[in-house]
Amino acid sequence: MIRFIFVALTVILYLIIGIIAEIILWIIGKFNKPCKDRISLAMVQTIFRFILWIAGVKVTVKGKENIPTDTPVLYVGNHRSYFDILIGYTNVVGLTGFVAKKEMEKVPLLSNWMRKLYCLFLDRDNLKEGMKTILQGIDYIKNGVSIWIFPEGTRNKNADETQLLPFKEGSLKMADKTGCPIIPVAMRGTMNIFEKQMPKIRPQHIYVEFGKPIYLKQLSKEDRKFAGSYTQHIIEHMLKSDF
């Protein structure tokens, strides 16, 4: 329980102190937007690494060399825990926005930082608004910002972490429309950090694997039509394979 308290206090203090940082970043952004973006990402990655350290989370990463450094990508991962976002953000290459549920947009202070990092708020119950979010993501990718999405649509609570929920086919439209590579991401053990024994946080050794890039234009017509299912099978295979 003590770890949860320390993590909660860290997040609260960061968001409060971050109000001053937001003002400074706003000024910097008026003169040098790329610099503002780099600083924002570095700040969030630093605090996320600190939170993971407090939580006692050790992360072993495989396949990071598969992430292109000269182009934005669409990260596609399995989703088991709130900590997936922290682990993901501390391992991305370059500026990256996460697709989050619409409700996160109502969280004061936190939503401000999410917008700074090009996060998208997806309304899963409103098709029209959902399409606007996808179009915004396409625009971000075209302007050099990678996007991370969890196509299961919600946290997977299956006892067997290799059994993923069906991927939403429309979630990969951003890669289809921009031609950017898809990077499949498999995370193992993240539910054990917090969700299995809430509100307690337990130290865990987490394994993250970045798969080889998937270029939709190189797939067969059938696989491209069902790109979500195709990518899901790859991630399931990664989860079942030896790390």
Side-chain angles (χ1 to χ4, degrees):
M1 189 66 179
I2 191 68
R3 290 181 186 275
F4 173 79
I5 294 172
F6 279 140
V7 167
L9 287 175
T10 299
V11 173
I12 293 170
L13 287 173
Y14 177 81
L15 292 175
I16 293 174
I17 296 173
I19 295 174
I20 299 174
E22 283 191 67
I23 297 173
I24 296 173
L25 287 170
W26 179 79
I27 295 173
I28 293 174
K30 289 293 183 180
F31 301 95
N32 191 330
K33 192 171 184 298
C35 180
K36 171 199 166 188
D37 289 341
R38 289 195 299 271
I39 294 173
S40 297
L41 179 61
M43 288 178 65
V44 169
Q45 286 180 325
T46 299
I47 194 62
F48 279 0
R49 290 191 181 100
F50 183 63
I51 291 173
L52 291 172
W53 177 77
I54 293 174
V57 176
K58 179 182 178 181
V59 182
T60 297
V61 180
K62 176 183 178 182
K64 201 165 182 178
E65 69 278 3
N66 290 323
I67 307 174
T69 57
D70 59 347
T71 183
V73 305
L74 180 67
Y75 295 97
V76 176
N78 60 314
H79 192 23
R80 303 273 289 175
S81 170
Y82 293 117
F83 277 85
D84 294 342
I85 292 89
L86 282 73
I87 294 167
Y89 250 129
T90 52
N91 285 286
V92 295
V93 175
L95 193 62
T96 303
F98 274 63
V99 176
K101 58 185 179 181
K102 183 71 174 178
E103 290 77 6
M104 295 297 294
E105 193 172 19
K106 299 177 182 178
V107 181
L109 300 181
L110 177 60
S111 58
N112 294 343
W113 279 99
M114 293 177 73
R115 291 190 189 92
K116 279 181 176 58
L117 291 175
Y118 300 92
C119 288
L120 299 164
F121 301 98
L122 181 64
D123 187 342
R124 293 170 292 187
D125 299 321
N126 188 318
L127 185 62
K128 184 177 180 181
E129 290 301 313
M131 182 55 64
K132 287 182 181 179
T133 301
I134 296 299
L135 291 174
Q136 181 65 73
I138 291 172
D139 184 61
Y140 282 164
I141 291 173
K142 287 181 177 179
N143 284 282
V145 179
S146 294
I147 297 295
W148 188 307
I149 193 165
F150 298 111
E152 290 173 284
T154 186
R155 283 182 293 118
N156 183 353
K157 300 177 183 179
N158 287 337
D160 184 353
E161 69 178 353
T162 66
Q163 294 181 353
L164 304 185
L165 301 176
F167 279 18
K168 311 292 185 184
E169 289 297 336
S171 62
L172 303 190
K173 284 292 184 183
M174 287 182 275
D176 188 39
K177 296 299 183 181
T178 62
C180 78
I182 293 171
I183 301 296
V185 188
M187 294 190 188
R188 305 182 191 180
T190 56
M191 179 183 276
N192 299 328
I193 302 171
F194 181 58
E195 279 73 14
K196 272 193 175 180
Q197 63 284 325
M198 287 193 284
K200 294 181 180 179
I201 291 176
R202 290 180 177 170
Q204 295 292 327
H205 191 165
I206 304 303
Y207 296 89
V208 181
E209 181 175 359
F210 292 94
K212 293 182 179 180
I214 300 170
Y215 294 89
L216 295 184
K217 291 183 178 180
Q218 296 178 4
L219 300 182
S220 66
K221 185 177 180 180
E222 184 70 10
D223 285 338
R224 185 171 180 177
K225 182 179 179 181
F226 299 102
S229 179
Y230 178 85
T231 307
Q232 177 180 339
H233 291 324
I234 289 178
I235 295 175
E236 287 174 338
H237 179 73
M238 291 163 65
L239 289 168
K240 294 174 183 177
S241 301
D242 293 333
F243 190 79

